[in-house]
Amino acid sequence: MEDARPSWDEYFMKIAQEVATRSTCLRRHVGAVIVKDKRLLATGYNGAPRGIRHCLEVGCLREQQNVPSGEKHELCRGLHAEQNAVIQAALHGVPIAGSAVFSTHKPCSLCAKILINAGVIEITYDEGYDDALADELLAEAGVTVVKRVPRNG
């Protein structure tokens, strides 16, 4: 008889998927959770900083300027989910060195650098994001990166 309970990876990824539903990005909804010792430490989704109007209200600057996905990250009102999760941990004094991140999408190179410096040692994700520099940096830093394979897939 198969265990009906989700594995820890499934459990944390489901939480990341739920967090992503708070995203205000018009292009992609991303959620991330930071976990250590099977404890949820922080969550983040992609969207504008607090007090700043969301893309849902003012439109997407990247769309307006025809910026392809993965390029010119600085031309965006929003922060990435991984960035917001690290910021939330810092804001509330939660140490995350030695933690794992579960993200709906593989981190970009900007997020990879932040996660490396924050002491994240493992990243599990569902959907790919083509960023060769992120892959190179994470490998060089010794961060374990795992593309999750669903139990029935």
Coordinates of all heavy atoms in Angstrom, one line a residue, residues 5-93:
R5 N 0.6 10.0 2.4 CA 1.2 11.3 2.9 C 2.2 11.7 1.9 O 3.0 10.9 1.4 CB 1.9 11.0 4.2 CG 0.9 10.8 5.4 CD 1.7 10.6 6.7 NE 2.5 11.8 7.0 CZ 3.4 11.8 8.0 NH1 3.7 10.7 8.6 NH2 4.0 12.9 8.3
P6 N 2.3 13.0 1.7 CA 3.3 13.5 0.8 C 4.7 13.4 1.4 O 4.8 13.4 2.6 CB 3.0 15.0 0.6 CG 2.2 15.4 1.8 CD 1.4 14.1 2.2
S7 N 5.7 13.2 0.6 CA 7.1 13.2 1.1 C 7.4 14.6 1.6 O 6.6 15.5 1.3 CB 8.1 12.8 0.0 OG 8.1 13.8 -1.0
W8 N 8.5 14.8 2.3 CA 8.9 16.1 2.7 C 9.1 17.1 1.5 O 8.7 18.2 1.5 CB 10.1 16.1 3.6 CG 9.8 15.6 5.0 CD1 10.1 14.4 5.5 CD2 9.1 16.3 6.0 NE1 9.7 14.3 6.8 CE2 9.0 15.4 7.1 CE3 8.5 17.5 6.1 CZ2 8.4 15.8 8.3 CZ3 7.8 17.9 7.2 CH2 7.8 17.0 8.3
D9 N 9.7 16.5 0.4 CA 9.9 17.3 -0.8 C 8.6 17.8 -1.4 O 8.4 18.9 -1.8 CB 10.8 16.6 -1.8 CG 12.2 16.5 -1.5 OD1 12.6 17.0 -0.4 OD2 13.0 16.0 -2.3
E10 N 7.7 16.8 -1.5 CA 6.3 17.1 -2.0 C 5.6 18.2 -1.1 O 5.0 19.1 -1.7 CB 5.5 15.9 -2.1 CG 6.0 14.9 -3.2 CD 5.3 13.6 -3.1 OE1 5.0 13.1 -2.0 OE2 5.1 13.0 -4.2
Y11 N 5.7 18.0 0.2 CA 5.1 18.9 1.1 C 5.6 20.3 0.9 O 4.8 21.3 0.8 CB 5.3 18.3 2.5 CG 4.9 19.2 3.6 CD1 3.5 19.4 3.9 CD2 5.8 19.9 4.5 CE1 3.1 20.2 5.0 CE2 5.4 20.7 5.5 CZ 4.1 20.8 5.8 OH 3.7 21.6 6.8
F12 N 6.9 20.5 0.9 CA 7.5 21.8 0.8 C 7.2 22.4 -0.5 O 7.0 23.6 -0.7 CB 8.9 21.8 1.2 CG 9.1 21.6 2.7 CD1 9.9 20.6 3.2 CD2 8.5 22.4 3.6 CE1 10.1 20.3 4.5 CE2 8.7 22.2 5.0 CZ 9.5 21.2 5.5
M13 N 7.2 21.6 -1.6 CA 7.0 22.1 -2.9 C 5.5 22.6 -3.1 O 5.2 23.6 -3.7 CB 7.4 21.1 -4.0 CG 7.4 21.7 -5.4 SD 8.5 23.1 -5.6 CE 10.1 22.2 -5.6
K14 N 4.6 21.8 -2.4 CA 3.2 22.2 -2.5 C 3.0 23.6 -1.8 O 2.3 24.4 -2.2 CB 2.3 21.2 -1.8 CG 2.1 20.0 -2.7 CD 1.2 19.0 -2.0 CE 1.0 17.8 -2.9 NZ 0.0 16.8 -2.4
I15 N 3.8 23.8 -0.7 CA 3.7 25.1 0.0 C 4.3 26.2 -1.0 O 3.7 27.3 -1.1 CB 4.5 25.1 1.3 CG1 3.8 24.1 2.3 CG2 4.6 26.5 1.9 CD1 4.5 23.8 3.6
A16 N 5.4 25.9 -1.6 CA 6.0 26.9 -2.6 C 5.0 27.2 -3.7 O 4.8 28.4 -4.1 CB 7.3 26.4 -3.2
Q17 N 4.3 26.2 -4.2 CA 3.3 26.4 -5.2 C 2.1 27.3 -4.7 O 1.6 28.1 -5.4 CB 2.8 25.1 -5.7 CG 3.8 24.3 -6.5 CD 3.4 22.8 -6.7 OE1 2.5 22.3 -6.1 NE2 4.2 22.1 -7.5
E18 N 1.7 27.1 -3.5 CA 0.7 27.9 -2.9 C 1.2 29.4 -2.7 O 0.5 30.3 -3.0 CB 0.2 27.3 -1.6 CG -1.0 28.0 -1.0 CD -2.2 27.9 -1.8 OE1 -2.4 26.9 -2.6 OE2 -3.1 28.8 -1.7
V19 N 2.4 29.5 -2.3 CA 3.0 30.8 -2.1 C 3.0 31.6 -3.4 O 2.8 32.8 -3.5 CB 4.4 30.7 -1.5 CG1 5.2 32.1 -1.5 CG2 4.4 30.2 0.0
A20 N 3.3 30.9 -4.5 CA 3.3 31.5 -5.8 C 2.0 32.1 -6.2 O 2.0 33.0 -7.1 CB 3.7 30.4 -6.9
T21 N 0.9 31.6 -5.7 CA -0.4 32.2 -6.0 C -0.5 33.7 -5.6 O -1.4 34.4 -6.0 CB -1.6 31.4 -5.5 OG1 -1.6 31.5 -4.0 CG2 -1.5 29.9 -5.9
R22 N 0.4 34.1 -4.7 CA 0.4 35.5 -4.2 C 1.1 36.4 -5.2 O 1.1 37.7 -5.1 CB 1.0 35.6 -2.9 CG 0.2 35.0 -1.7 CD -0.9 35.9 -1.2 NE -0.4 37.2 -0.8 CZ -1.1 38.3 -0.9 NH1 -2.4 38.2 -1.2 NH2 -0.6 39.4 -0.5
S23 N 1.8 35.9 -6.2 CA 2.6 36.7 -7.1 C 1.7 37.7 -7.8 O 0.6 37.5 -8.2 CB 3.2 35.7 -8.2 OG 3.8 36.5 -9.2
T24 N 2.4 38.9 -8.1 CA 1.7 39.9 -8.8 C 2.4 40.1 -10.2 O 2.1 41.1 -10.9 CB 1.7 41.3 -8.0 OG1 3.1 41.6 -7.8 CG2 0.9 41.1 -6.7
C25 N 3.2 39.2 -10.6 CA 3.9 39.3 -11.9 C 3.0 38.9 -13.0 O 2.2 37.9 -12.8 CB 5.2 38.4 -11.9 SG 6.1 38.4 -13.4
L26 N 3.0 39.6 -14.1 CA 2.2 39.3 -15.2 C 2.8 38.2 -16.1 O 2.1 37.7 -16.9 CB 1.9 40.6 -16.0 CG 1.2 41.7 -15.3 CD1 1.1 43.0 -16.1 CD2 -0.2 41.2 -14.9
R27 N 4.0 37.9 -16.0 CA 4.7 36.9 -16.8 C 4.8 35.5 -16.2 O 4.6 34.6 -16.9 CB 6.1 37.4 -17.1 CG 6.2 38.5 -18.1 CD 7.7 38.7 -18.5 NE 7.8 39.5 -19.7 CZ 8.9 39.6 -20.4 NH1 10.0 39.1 -19.9 NH2 8.9 40.3 -21.5
R28 N 5.1 35.5 -14.9 CA 5.3 34.1 -14.3 C 5.1 34.2 -12.8 O 5.5 35.2 -12.2 CB 6.8 33.8 -14.7 CG 7.4 32.7 -14.0 CD 8.9 32.5 -14.3 NE 9.3 33.1 -15.6 CZ 10.0 32.4 -16.5 NH1 10.4 31.2 -16.3 NH2 10.3 33.0 -17.7
H29 N 4.4 33.2 -12.3 CA 4.2 33.2 -10.9 C 5.2 32.2 -10.2 O 5.2 31.0 -10.6 CB 2.7 32.7 -10.6 CG 1.7 33.8 -10.9 ND1 0.4 33.7 -10.5 CD2 1.8 34.9 -11.7 CE1 -0.2 34.7 -11.0 NE2 0.6 35.5 -11.7
V30 N 6.0 32.7 -9.3 CA 7.0 31.9 -8.7 C 6.9 32.0 -7.2 O 6.6 33.1 -6.6 CB 8.4 32.4 -9.1 CG1 9.5 31.6 -8.5 CG2 8.6 32.4 -10.6
G31 N 7.1 30.9 -6.5 CA 7.1 30.8 -5.1 C 8.3 30.1 -4.6 O 8.8 29.2 -5.3
A32 N 8.8 30.5 -3.4 CA 10.0 29.9 -2.9 C 9.8 29.8 -1.3 O 9.2 30.7 -0.7 CB 11.2 30.7 -3.2
V33 N 10.3 28.7 -0.8 CA 10.3 28.5 0.7 C 11.7 28.1 1.1 O 12.4 27.4 0.4 CB 9.2 27.5 1.2 CG1 7.8 28.0 0.8 CG2 9.5 26.1 0.6
I34 N 12.1 28.6 2.2 CA 13.4 28.2 2.8 C 13.1 27.3 4.0 O 12.3 27.6 4.9 CB 14.2 29.5 3.3 CG1 14.4 30.4 2.1 CG2 15.5 29.1 3.9 CD1 15.0 31.8 2.4
V35 N 13.8 26.2 4.0 CA 13.6 25.1 5.0 C 14.9 24.7 5.6 O 15.9 24.6 4.9 CB 12.9 23.9 4.3 CG1 12.7 22.7 5.2 CG2 11.6 24.3 3.6
K36 N 14.8 24.4 6.9 CA 16.0 23.7 7.6 C 15.5 22.8 8.6 O 14.6 23.1 9.4 CB 16.9 24.8 8.2 CG 18.2 24.2 8.8 CD 19.1 25.3 9.2 CE 20.4 24.7 9.7 NZ 21.3 25.8 10.2
D37 N 16.0 21.6 8.6 CA 15.6 20.6 9.6 C 14.1 20.3 9.6 O 13.4 20.2 10.6 CB 16.1 20.9 11.0 CG 17.6 21.1 11.1 OD1 18.3 20.3 10.4 OD2 18.0 21.9 11.9
K38 N 13.5 20.3 8.3 CA 12.1 20.0 8.1 C 11.2 21.1 8.8 O 10.1 20.9 9.1 CB 11.7 18.6 8.6 CG 12.4 17.5 7.9 CD 12.0 16.2 8.3 CE 12.8 15.1 7.6 NZ 12.8 13.8 8.2
R39 N 11.8 22.3 8.9 CA 11.0 23.4 9.5 C 11.0 24.5 8.4 O 12.0 24.9 7.8 CB 11.7 24.0 10.7 CG 11.8 23.0 11.8 CD 10.7 23.2 12.8 NE 10.9 22.4 14.0 CZ 10.3 21.2 14.2 NH1 9.5 20.7 13.4 NH2 10.5 20.5 15.3
L40 N 9.9 25.1 8.2 CA 9.7 26.2 7.3 C 10.2 27.5 7.9 O 9.7 27.9 9.0 CB 8.2 26.4 6.9 CG 7.8 27.4 5.9 CD1 8.4 27.1 4.6 CD2 6.3 27.4 5.8
L41 N 11.2 28.2 7.3 CA 11.8 29.4 7.9 C 11.3 30.6 7.3 O 11.1 31.6 8.0 CB 13.3 29.3 7.7 CG 14.0 28.1 8.3 CD1 15.5 28.2 8.0 CD2 13.8 28.0 9.8
A42 N 11.1 30.7 6.0 CA 10.6 31.9 5.3 C 10.0 31.5 3.9 O 10.3 30.5 3.4 CB 11.8 32.8 5.1
T43 N 9.2 32.4 3.5 CA 8.5 32.2 2.1 C 8.7 33.5 1.3 O 9.0 34.6 1.9 CB 7.0 31.9 2.2 OG1 6.4 33.1 2.8 CG2 6.8 30.8 3.1
G44 N 8.6 33.4 0.0 CA 8.7 34.6 -0.8 C 8.0 34.3 -2.2 O 8.0 33.1 -2.6
Y45 N 7.5 35.3 -2.8 CA 6.9 35.2 -4.1 C 7.4 36.4 -4.9 O 7.8 37.4 -4.3 CB 5.4 35.1 -4.1 CG 4.7 36.2 -3.3 CD1 4.3 37.4 -4.0 CD2 4.3 36.1 -2.0 CE1 3.7 38.4 -3.3 CE2 3.7 37.1 -1.3 CZ 3.4 38.3 -2.0 OH 2.8 39.3 -1.3
N46 N 7.3 36.4 -6.2 CA 7.8 37.5 -7.0 C 6.7 38.6 -7.1 O 5.5 38.3 -7.3 CB 8.2 37.0 -8.4 CG 7.2 36.2 -9.2 OD1 6.3 35.6 -8.6 ND2 7.2 36.4 -10.5
G47 N 7.2 39.8 -6.9 CA 6.3 40.9 -6.9 C 7.0 42.2 -6.5 O 8.1 42.1 -6.1
A48 N 6.3 43.3 -6.6 CA 6.9 44.6 -6.3 C 7.2 44.7 -4.8 O 6.5 44.1 -4.0 CB 6.0 45.7 -6.8
P49 N 8.2 45.5 -4.4 CA 8.5 45.8 -3.0 C 7.3 46.4 -2.3 O 6.4 47.1 -3.0 CB 9.6 46.8 -3.0 CG 10.2 46.6 -4.4 CD 9.1 46.2 -5.3
R50 N 7.2 46.3 -1.0 CA 6.1 46.8 -0.2 C 6.0 48.3 -0.5 O 7.0 49.0 -0.6 CB 6.3 46.5 1.2 CG 7.1 47.5 2.0 CD 7.1 47.2 3.5 NE 7.8 45.9 3.7 CZ 8.0 45.3 4.9 NH1 7.4 45.8 5.9 NH2 8.6 44.2 5.0
G51 N 4.8 48.8 -0.6 CA 4.6 50.3 -0.8 C 4.7 50.7 -2.3 O 4.5 51.9 -2.6
I52 N 5.1 49.8 -3.1 CA 5.2 50.1 -4.6 C 4.0 49.4 -5.3 O 3.7 48.3 -5.0 CB 6.5 49.5 -5.1 CG1 7.7 50.0 -4.3 CG2 6.7 49.8 -6.6 CD1 8.0 51.5 -4.4
R53 N 3.5 50.2 -6.3 CA 2.4 49.6 -7.1 C 2.8 48.4 -7.8 O 3.9 48.3 -8.3 CB 1.8 50.6 -8.0 CG 1.1 51.8 -7.3 CD 0.5 52.8 -8.2 NE 1.7 53.4 -8.9 CZ 1.6 54.0 -10.1 NH1 0.5 54.0 -10.8 NH2 2.7 54.5 -10.6
H54 N 2.0 47.4 -7.8 CA 2.3 46.1 -8.5 C 2.1 46.2 -10.0 O 1.3 47.0 -10.5 CB 1.4 45.0 -7.9 CG 1.6 44.7 -6.5 ND1 2.7 44.0 -6.1 CD2 0.9 45.0 -5.4 CE1 2.7 43.9 -4.7 NE2 1.6 44.5 -4.3
C55 N 2.7 45.3 -10.7 CA 2.6 45.2 -12.2 C 1.1 45.0 -12.5 O 0.7 45.4 -13.6 CB 3.5 44.1 -12.7 SG 5.2 44.4 -12.4
L56 N 0.4 44.3 -11.7 CA -1.1 44.1 -11.9 C -1.8 45.4 -12.1 O -2.8 45.5 -12.8 CB -1.7 43.3 -10.8 CG -1.3 41.8 -10.7 CD1 -1.9 41.3 -9.4 CD2 -1.8 41.0 -11.9
E57 N -1.3 46.5 -11.4 CA -1.9 47.8 -11.5 C -1.3 48.7 -12.6 O -2.1 49.4 -13.2 CB -1.6 48.5 -10.1 CG -2.2 47.8 -8.9 CD -1.7 48.5 -7.6 OE1 -2.1 49.7 -7.4 OE2 -1.0 47.8 -6.9
V58 N 0.0 48.6 -12.8 CA 0.6 49.5 -13.8 C 1.1 48.9 -15.0 O 1.6 49.6 -15.9 CB 1.8 50.3 -13.1 CG1 1.3 51.1 -11.9 CG2 2.9 49.3 -12.6
G59 N 1.0 47.6 -15.2 CA 1.5 46.9 -16.4 C 2.9 46.4 -16.2 O 3.6 46.8 -15.2
C60 N 3.4 45.7 -17.1 CA 4.7 45.1 -17.1 C 5.7 45.9 -17.9 O 5.6 46.0 -19.1 CB 4.7 43.7 -17.6 SG 6.3 42.8 -17.7
L61 N 6.7 46.5 -17.2 CA 7.7 47.3 -17.9 C 8.5 46.4 -18.9 O 8.8 46.9 -20.0 CB 8.7 47.9 -16.8 CG 9.8 48.7 -17.3 CD1 9.3 50.0 -18.1 CD2 10.7 49.1 -16.2
R62 N 8.7 45.2 -18.6 CA 9.5 44.3 -19.5 C 8.7 44.0 -20.7 O 9.2 44.0 -21.8 CB 9.9 43.0 -18.7 CG 10.9 43.3 -17.6 CD 11.1 42.1 -16.7 NE 11.6 41.0 -17.4 CZ 12.8 40.8 -17.8 NH1 13.7 41.7 -17.5 NH2 13.2 39.7 -18.4
E63 N 7.4 43.8 -20.6 CA 6.5 43.6 -21.7 C 6.5 44.9 -22.6 O 6.6 44.8 -23.8 CB 5.1 43.2 -21.3 CG 5.0 41.8 -20.7 CD 5.1 40.7 -21.8 OE1 4.8 41.0 -23.0 OE2 5.5 39.6 -21.4
Q64 N 6.3 46.0 -21.9 CA 6.3 47.3 -22.7 C 7.5 47.5 -23.5 O 7.4 48.1 -24.6 CB 6.0 48.4 -21.7 CG 4.7 48.4 -21.0 CD 4.6 49.2 -19.8 OE1 5.5 50.0 -19.4 NE2 3.5 49.1 -19.0
Q65 N 8.7 47.1 -23.0 CA 9.9 47.3 -23.7 C 10.4 46.1 -24.5 O 11.5 46.0 -25.0 CB 11.0 47.7 -22.7 CG 10.7 49.1 -22.0 CD 11.8 49.6 -21.2 OE1 12.9 49.1 -21.2 NE2 11.5 50.6 -20.4
N66 N 9.5 45.1 -24.6 CA 9.8 43.8 -25.3 C 11.1 43.2 -24.9 O 12.0 42.7 -25.7 CB 9.9 44.1 -26.9 CG 8.6 44.5 -27.4 OD1 7.5 43.9 -27.0 ND2 8.5 45.6 -28.2
V67 N 11.3 43.1 -23.6 CA 12.5 42.4 -23.0 C 12.3 40.9 -23.0 O 11.3 40.5 -22.3 CB 12.9 43.0 -21.6 CG1 14.1 42.3 -21.0 CG2 13.1 44.5 -21.7
P68 N 13.2 40.1 -23.6 CA 13.0 38.7 -23.5 C 13.2 38.1 -22.1 O 13.9 38.7 -21.3 CB 14.1 38.2 -24.5 CG 14.5 39.3 -25.3 CD 14.3 40.5 -24.5
S69 N 12.5 37.0 -21.9 CA 12.7 36.3 -20.6 C 14.2 36.0 -20.3 O 14.9 35.6 -21.2 CB 11.9 35.0 -20.6 OG 12.0 34.4 -19.4
G70 N 14.6 36.2 -19.1 CA 16.0 35.9 -18.7 C 17.0 37.0 -19.0 O 18.2 36.9 -18.7
E71 N 16.6 38.2 -19.6 CA 17.5 39.3 -19.9 C 17.1 40.5 -19.1 O 15.9 40.7 -18.8 CB 17.4 39.6 -21.4 CG 18.0 38.5 -22.3 CD 17.9 38.8 -23.7 OE1 17.8 40.0 -24.1 OE2 18.1 37.9 -24.5
K72 N 18.0 41.4 -18.8 CA 17.8 42.7 -18.2 C 16.9 42.6 -17.0 O 15.9 43.3 -16.9 CB 17.3 43.7 -19.2 CG 18.3 43.9 -20.4 CD 17.7 45.0 -21.3 CE 18.7 45.2 -22.5 NZ 18.2 46.2 -23.4
H73 N 17.3 41.8 -16.0 CA 16.5 41.6 -14.8 C 16.2 42.9 -14.1 O 15.2 43.1 -13.4 CB 17.2 40.7 -13.8 CG 17.3 39.3 -14.3 ND1 16.3 38.4 -14.3 CD2 18.4 38.6 -14.9 CE1 16.7 37.2 -14.8 NE2 17.9 37.3 -15.2
E74 N 17.1 43.9 -14.3 CA 17.0 45.2 -13.6 C 15.8 46.0 -14.1 O 15.3 46.9 -13.4 CB 18.3 46.0 -13.7 CG 18.6 46.6 -15.1 CD 19.2 45.6 -16.0 OE1 19.4 44.4 -15.7 OE2 19.6 46.0 -17.1
L75 N 15.3 45.7 -15.3 CA 14.1 46.4 -15.8 C 12.8 45.7 -15.4 O 12.1 45.1 -16.2 CB 14.2 46.4 -17.4 CG 15.4 47.2 -17.9 CD1 15.4 47.2 -19.5 CD2 15.3 48.7 -17.5
C76 N 12.6 45.8 -14.1 CA 11.4 45.1 -13.6 C 11.1 45.8 -12.2 O 12.0 46.1 -11.5 CB 11.7 43.6 -13.3 SG 10.3 42.7 -12.7
R77 N 9.8 46.0 -12.0 CA 9.4 46.5 -10.7 C 9.5 45.5 -9.5 O 9.6 45.9 -8.4 CB 7.9 47.0 -10.8 CG 7.7 48.1 -11.8 CD 6.2 48.4 -11.8 NE 5.7 49.1 -10.6 CZ 5.9 50.4 -10.3 NH1 6.6 51.1 -11.1 NH2 5.5 50.9 -9.1
G78 N 9.5 44.3 -9.9 CA 9.4 43.2 -8.9 C 10.8 42.6 -8.4 O 11.8 42.8 -9.1
L79 N 10.7 42.0 -7.3 CA 11.7 41.1 -6.8 C 11.4 39.7 -7.1 O 10.2 39.4 -7.2 CB 11.9 41.3 -5.2 CG 12.4 42.7 -4.8 CD1 12.0 42.9 -3.3 CD2 13.8 42.8 -5.0
H80 N 12.4 38.8 -7.2 CA 12.2 37.4 -7.4 C 11.8 36.8 -6.1 O 12.1 37.2 -5.0 CB 13.4 36.8 -8.0 CG 13.7 37.2 -9.4 ND1 14.7 36.7 -10.1 CD2 13.1 38.1 -10.2 CE1 14.7 37.2 -11.3 NE2 13.7 38.1 -11.4
A81 N 11.1 35.6 -6.2 CA 10.6 34.9 -5.0 C 11.7 34.5 -4.1 O 11.6 34.7 -2.9 CB 9.9 33.6 -5.5
E82 N 12.9 34.1 -4.6 CA 14.0 33.7 -3.8 C 14.5 34.9 -3.0 O 14.9 34.8 -1.8 CB 15.1 33.0 -4.6 CG 14.6 31.8 -5.4 CD 14.2 32.1 -6.8 OE1 13.7 33.2 -7.0 OE2 14.2 31.2 -7.6
Q83 N 14.6 36.0 -3.7 CA 15.1 37.3 -3.1 C 14.2 37.6 -1.9 O 14.6 38.0 -0.8 CB 15.1 38.4 -4.1 CG 16.2 38.2 -5.2 CD 16.0 39.2 -6.4 OE1 15.0 39.8 -6.5 NE2 17.0 39.2 -7.2
N84 N 12.9 37.6 -2.2 CA 11.9 38.0 -1.1 C 12.0 37.0 0.0 O 11.8 37.4 1.2 CB 10.5 38.0 -1.7 CG 10.1 39.4 -2.2 OD1 10.6 40.4 -1.6 ND2 9.3 39.5 -3.3
A85 N 12.2 35.7 -0.2 CA 12.3 34.8 0.9 C 13.5 35.1 1.8 O 13.4 35.1 3.0 CB 12.4 33.3 0.4
V86 N 14.7 35.4 1.2 CA 15.9 35.7 1.9 C 15.7 37.0 2.7 O 16.0 37.1 3.8 CB 17.1 35.8 1.0 CG1 18.3 36.4 1.7 CG2 17.4 34.4 0.4
I87 N 15.0 38.0 2.0 CA 14.8 39.3 2.7 C 13.8 39.1 3.9 O 14.1 39.7 4.9 CB 14.2 40.3 1.7 CG1 15.2 40.7 0.7 CG2 13.6 41.5 2.4 CD1 14.7 41.4 -0.6
Q88 N 12.8 38.3 3.7 CA 11.9 38.0 4.9 C 12.6 37.4 6.0 O 12.4 37.7 7.2 CB 10.7 37.1 4.4 CG 9.7 37.9 3.6 CD 9.2 39.1 4.2 OE1 8.7 39.1 5.4 NE2 9.2 40.2 3.6
A89 N 13.5 36.4 5.7 CA 14.3 35.8 6.8 C 15.1 36.9 7.5 O 15.2 36.9 8.7 CB 15.1 34.7 6.2
A90 N 15.8 37.7 6.7 CA 16.7 38.7 7.3 C 15.9 39.7 8.1 O 16.3 40.1 9.2 CB 17.5 39.4 6.2
L91 N 14.8 40.1 7.6 CA 13.9 41.1 8.2 C 13.4 40.7 9.6 O 13.3 41.4 10.5 CB 12.7 41.4 7.3 CG 11.7 42.5 7.8 CD1 12.5 43.9 7.8 CD2 10.6 42.6 6.8
H92 N 13.2 39.4 9.7 CA 12.7 38.8 11.0 C 13.8 38.1 11.8 O 13.4 37.4 12.8 CB 11.5 37.9 10.7 CG 10.4 38.6 10.0 ND1 9.6 39.5 10.7 CD2 9.9 38.6 8.8 CE1 8.7 40.0 9.9 NE2 8.9 39.5 8.7
G93 N 15.0 38.3 11.4 CA 16.1 37.7 12.2 C 16.2 36.2 12.2 O 16.6 35.6 13.2

